[in-house]
C-alpha cells in the first residue's frame, strides 16, 4: 500500500489480506520436537514468552501481565511444572511467594520456538519512533477490543 492509497477503506482492505497471513504463519510455527509431546496449548504461549524474555517472576506478577486471576496462572504453572517445562522455587525473601522460571532443559527449545516472533516485531518496530510504536500497539489493542465486543 502506497502513501497515496492511505484511505481508510484501502487500509482496511490491506489489513484484511494481511491478518490471515499473519495468523497462518503463527499457527504454522513448528513446535520443537522435544516439546511436542507436552501438549502445550495456546494459553501457555504468553506465559512462556513472559518468562523467556522477562525472566523469572512470581505467580502474581505473571497473573498481572497475563490479565488473568492468580489461580488461573497457578493452575497453568502447576501443569507445566509437572511436565518439566517450568521450575518453581520459594522466594528467599518471602517464603510465601513462589518464583517461576523456565526449566533449563527446555530454555533453548522455547527460545527457538518463540524467539522468531520477537525478532520479527523488533525488526518491524525498531525504525519507528516511540510515538509511532504506541500507535501500532494502541491500534492492535483497539482491533482486539472491537473483535471482543462483537
Amino acid at each position: 500500500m502506497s502513501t497515496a492509497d492511505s484511505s481508510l477503506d484501502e487500509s482496511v482492505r490491506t489489513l484484511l489480506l494481511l491478518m490471515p497471513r499473519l495468523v497462518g504463519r503463527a499457527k504454522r510455527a513448528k513446535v520443537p520436537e522435544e516439546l511436542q509431546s507436552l501438549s502445550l496449548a495456546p494459553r501457555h504461549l504468553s506465559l512462556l514468552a513472559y518468562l523467556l524474555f522477562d525472566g523469572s517472576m512470581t505467580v502474581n506478577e505473571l497473573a498481572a501481565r497475563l490479565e488473568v486471576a492468580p489461580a488461573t496462572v497457578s493452575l497453568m504453572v502447576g501443569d507445566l511444572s509437572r511436565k518439566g517445562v517450568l521450575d518453581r522455587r520459594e522466594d528467599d525473601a518471602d517464603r510465601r511467594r513462589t518464583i517461576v522460571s523456565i526449566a533449563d532443559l527446555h530454555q533453548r527449545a522455547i527460545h527457538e520456538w518463540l524467539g522468531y516472533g520477537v525478532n520479527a516485531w523488533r525488526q518491524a518496530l525498531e525504525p519507528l519512533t516511540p510515538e509511532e510504536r504506541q500507535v501500532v500497539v494502541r491500534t492492535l489493542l483497539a482491533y482486539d477490543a472491537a473483535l471482543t465486543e462483537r
Side-chain angles (χ1 to χ4, degrees):
M1 184 173 88
S2 69
T3 307
D5 294 332
S6 62
S7 74
L8 177 59
D9 286 346
E10 285 302 315
S11 297
V12 169
R13 283 185 192 97
T14 299
L15 290 171
L16 286 173
L17 290 172
L18 177 62
M19 293 304 285
R21 287 197 313 240
L22 294 176
V23 170
R25 281 192 183 100
K27 285 183 175 182
R28 286 190 303 274
K30 186 172 173 12
V31 177
E33 192 173 315
E34 65 194 73
L35 300 175
Q36 288 177 1
S37 66
L38 301 175
S39 302
L40 297 175
R43 62 191 161 93
H44 296 125
L45 297 183
S46 294
L47 183 144
L48 291 171
Y50 276 124
L51 291 173
L52 182 65
F53 298 107
D54 294 332
S56 301
M57 62 184 77
T58 67
V59 168
N60 286 339
E61 290 169 328
L62 278 167
R65 291 187 187 198
L66 294 169
E67 301 177 359
V68 297
T72 301
V73 172
S74 187
L75 290 171
M76 287 195 299
V77 167
D79 180 41
L80 293 173
S81 294
R82 282 187 295 282
K83 293 177 180 182
V85 177
L86 298 180
D87 288 330
R88 293 186 286 191
R89 64 178 172 77
E90 285 183 347
D91 184 346
D92 292 333
D94 182 350
R95 297 216 182 272
R96 295 171 294 176
R97 295 183 340 160
T98 300
I99 305 293
V100 181
S101 61
I102 296 173
D104 289 341
L105 177 66
H106 296 296
Q107 187 82 256
R108 183 194 52 78
I110 290 171
H111 187 272
E112 287 176 11
W113 181 33
L114 300 177
Y116 81 97
V118 169
N119 293 334
W121 276 118
R122 283 189 175 138
Q123 184 177 349
L125 294 172
E126 192 275 329
L128 304 178
T129 66
E131 294 80 16
E132 290 170 327
R133 289 181 200 129
Q134 284 301 312
V135 169
V136 171
V137 172
R138 281 194 316 266
T139 301
L140 291 171
L141 289 170
Y143 177 74
D144 179 56
L147 289 176
T148 303
E149 289 173 5
R150 190 167 175 231

